[in-house]
Amino acid sequence: MQWVRQCKDTFIRRYNDLGYITSQLSKRDRVYDEIGALFLSKINRTAHTVDEIVDELHAQFSDVSREMLRADFGEFIQELAEEGFLVTGRSEADLDRKDHGFTYLTDAPKTAALNFLAQDKNPALRDTADFFYSYFRDHPVIFGMHLEITGHCNERCLHCYLPRPEKAAVMPLSMARDLLDQLQAMGTVSVTFSGGEPFTHKQFAEMLIYARNNDFSINILTNGTLIRNEIIPVLKQVNLNMVQVSIYSMDPDIHDRITQHRGSLRKTLAATEKLIASGIPVQISCPVMRINKDSYTGVAQWARQHQVRVLSDFIMMARTDFDTGNLAYRLSIDETGQLIRNIINEDETYQAILAAEPPAGDAARKAEQPVCGVGVDNACVNAEGNVYPCAGFQGITLGNVSQQSLADIWANSEALKTLRAVTNASFPQCLNCAANDYCAMCLVRNFNESGGDIFAINEHYCKVAFLTKDLVAGTAGN
């Protein structure tokens, strides 16, 4: 007798006639329609025998022999099991033994997996890129939600895009629970908790448990300084996708200068090591700015030694109140050039991305696509219940969940309708730009730095795009 269930790191959703499955462990996903979507809908976190499922399916396909149905369903689950989406076995105990989950003790995947699966051998299976770019565009879904559960933070990072509030708001637990219920009903897959600093929230543990009970892939953005021993079992229990911890330098003078919190590096490193020792997936964020441009590589070395992924980038944006004072710490173009040279020389992942050839017809397709996921597949809610297009885009309020349902805001916000009409074609001067393949247009970065104009192209990052193009071309010629 064969048993089957989805892996604990797998998430299944239904979007009208489409079935979607994704793994937070491998970072792979698949989209099915028609029969594949129906097959997928019969699988969940409860173990069932294949015969039970086939009997249920046969009642819907009485004109198909049970033997043929069982063969097709068996092939379907076997493929998904081979890719790590499902577990199959001879007993429920067998399924538990095979469902390994995240670990630092094996060579893979740790926290470095990046790729999304693109299959084409099954005619009922669509490339996930097509799903995100076309389906969500026509049928917007909050695929990922960012919850800023408090405005309070115990650090005062020099580059932070959030203004320091006079009085920090705190999201009530009741609001968080209601939001998570609404998101579950809307088909959301991923929920990211941040602040401020989320671990300052006294009921953060209850929020995490509630999110787990609603079957979300959960992320936490934190500085790590307030992670106590007593919260570790909860973090294990909720099976996090990732805890992203900010580390700016292994030199405490530099790190603490950026956070403006003496002793913060020591606390952050201790907490990060505690998370790793507990088998909790960690990712390090290391924004590179003028203060740490000569020492960020030490963070990357530390991360490699601890088998975690580090994101080192130079992207900064003005504060949400249009104050550009924090941009004084942004790298100059010359400094950015040196950083990109280092990345090209040292980062194999970045090299692979740059080496990838754009698919045929990419330019025409890109013109019709939204610039980003704003209004299409993600949103943000702050501690006061205000809904924004994304984290950092707080100059445009879409609504407030204390006054409207999230579904109502998502469907009827006039500001959202305006944002959804923005495509790459809205920037005609960029479509045929020689550096287009090296540019990442960002509406909120345009908006915050210009004082509120999403169409005000950020000249600094135009220069960065051309710089990257020239550096990559020079590298390819060597």
Side-chain angles (χ1 to χ4, degrees):
M1 180 180 296
Q2 187 179 28
W3 291 74
V4 61
R5 67 167 169 80
Q6 69 185 93
C7 295
K8 59 186 176 183
D9 286 301
T10 294
F11 299 86
I12 296 174
R13 297 291 187 269
R14 186 70 181 258
Y15 300 112
N16 296 322
D17 58 342
L18 294 176
Y20 178 73
I21 185 168
T22 183
S23 168
Q24 68 178 23
L25 187 63
S26 68
K27 305 300 183 285
R28 292 174 172 177
D29 58 1
R30 286 187 172 189
V31 181
Y32 291 93
D33 58 13
E34 299 178 350
I35 303 301
L38 179 60
F39 282 1
L40 193 62
S41 70
K42 303 300 181 182
I43 301 167
N44 51 49
R45 299 203 182 278
T46 301
H48 296 281
T49 68
V50 172
D51 286 333
E52 288 174 340
I53 297 176
V54 171
D55 286 342
E56 187 176 340
L57 287 168
H58 193 232
Q60 298 176 257
F61 296 98
S62 57
D63 56 336
V64 179
S65 72
R66 190 182 186 284
E67 291 74 18
M68 180 179 293
L69 196 58
R70 196 187 194 291
D72 289 346
F73 184 72
E75 182 180 353
F76 177 84
I77 63 172
Q78 183 61 34
E79 288 183 357
L80 288 176
E82 289 174 356
E83 295 291 345
F85 293 106
L86 310 178
V87 280
T88 60
R90 297 182 178 181
S91 67
E92 293 186 67
D94 196 16
L95 302 185
D96 292 337
R97 284 192 297 270
K98 291 182 178 182
D99 196 1
H100 302 298
F102 178 83
T103 177
Y104 287 98
L105 301 179
T106 60
D107 291 335
K110 303 187 185 65
T111 62
L114 292 171
N115 60 305
F116 285 92
L117 183 65
Q119 285 274 357
D120 59 7
K121 64 180 181 180
N122 187 332
L125 181 64
R126 299 179 180 176
D127 188 299
T128 55
D130 288 336
F131 175 65
F132 289 120
Y133 287 133
S134 62
Y135 186 85
F136 277 176
R137 175 73 190 281
D138 296 333
H139 309 85
V141 174
I142 303 179
F143 190 78
M145 173 59 83
H146 195 122
L147 297 181
E148 296 177 344
I149 60 173
T150 176
H152 179 68
C153 187
N154 61 324
E155 294 184 342
R156 293 170 172 78
C157 296
L158 296 173
H159 61 292
C160 184
Y161 60 79
L162 292 173
R164 190 74 181 173
E166 293 183 8
K167 183 178 181 181
V170 177
M171 181 179 289
L173 178 59
S174 58
M175 177 183 288
R177 286 175 170 170
D178 183 57
L179 274 169
L180 293 168
D181 286 340
Q182 292 185 60
L183 290 168
Q184 199 279 334
M186 295 172 71
T188 299
V189 174
S190 173
V191 173
T192 298
F193 291 94
S194 75
E197 169 50 50
F199 284 95
T200 65
H201 199 298
K202 294 180 180 179
Q203 295 176 301
F204 187 30
E206 288 94 326
M207 291 182 183
L208 290 172
I209 292 170
Y210 203 82
R212 164 53 44 232
N213 292 338
N214 269 298
D215 197 34
F216 293 113
S217 179
I218 304 169
N219 307 288
I220 300 173
L221 309 185
T222 176
N223 60 45
T225 59
L226 301 176
I227 297 177
R228 312 299 185 202
N229 289 336
E230 55 268 25
I231 195 70
I232 296 295
V234 174
L235 301 181
K236 286 287 290 183
Q237 172 189 343
V238 300
N239 190 31
L240 296 169
N241 174 54
M242 176 190 67
V243 179
Q244 180 171 292
V245 181
S246 298
I247 302 177
Y248 306 102
S249 173
M250 300 310 292
D251 182 334
D253 290 337
I254 295 175
H255 177 95
D256 295 358
R257 180 184 170 194
I258 292 173
T259 65
Q260 300 189 78
H261 182 72
R262 186 175 296 277
S264 60
L265 177 62
R266 173 179 52 80
K267 295 176 183 177
T268 297
L269 288 178
T272 305
E273 290 173 347
K274 191 181 305 180
L275 293 170
I276 294 170
S278 300
I280 296 169
V282 173
Q283 178 174 281
I284 293 172
S285 172
C286 180
V288 182
M289 58 199 89
R290 289 187 168 181
I291 297 173
N292 66 335
K293 66 181 176 63
D294 297 321
S295 64
Y296 79 93
T297 54
V299 178
Q301 293 169 359
W302 188 92
R304 283 194 293 270
Q305 292 170 0
H306 290 78
Q307 297 181 289
V308 302
R309 183 185 176 203
V310 60
L311 297 179
S312 297
D313 63 53
F314 47 86
I315 303 301
M316 289 180 62
M317 66 179 174
R319 295 191 177 98
T320 59
D321 60 358
F322 308 134
D323 183 343
T324 59
N326 62 332
L327 300 183
Y329 303 101
R330 183 165 65 186
L331 296 178
S332 68
I333 293 298
D334 288 342
E335 291 167 334
T336 300
Q338 186 56 55
L339 174 65
I340 295 174
R341 290 185 187 93
N342 293 341
I343 293 175
I344 291 174
N345 291 333
E346 299 177 10
D347 192 323
E348 294 180 359
T349 300
Y350 192 71
Q351 292 169 11
I353 293 172
L354 293 177
E357 290 292 332
D362 187 64
R365 179 186 178 191
K366 187 173 182 178
E368 300 175 356
Q369 293 172 358
V371 174
C372 60
V374 165
V376 177
D377 61 18
N378 69 83
C380 175
V381 179
N382 76 350
E384 296 173 307
N386 292 320
V387 183
Y388 302 115
C390 68
F393 216 149
Q394 298 188 4
I396 297 179
T397 302
L398 309 177
N400 187 285
V401 295
S402 297
Q403 302 165 8
Q404 298 170 268
S405 71
L406 192 57
D408 184 25
I409 295 171
W410 188 247
N412 299 312
S413 166
E414 292 300 323
L416 261 184
K417 292 177 183 177
T418 299
L419 289 170
R420 285 172 183 152
V422 179
T423 65
N424 289 310
S426 302
F427 299 88
Q429 64 272 53
C430 300
L431 287 178
N432 297 314
C433 175
N436 186 274
D437 289 336
Y438 302 90
C439 174
M441 176 71 72
C442 178
L443 298 184
V444 64
R445 201 161 61 214
N446 291 351
F447 186 83
N448 287 358
E449 194 163 338
S450 69
D453 183 359
I454 62 174
F455 298 106
I457 297 174
N458 192 301
E459 293 186 6
H460 176 83
Y461 288 103
C462 283
K463 295 178 182 177
V464 170
F466 276 98
L467 176 64
T468 303
K469 174 181 177 294
D470 292 342
L471 289 174
V472 171
T475 301
N478 292 337

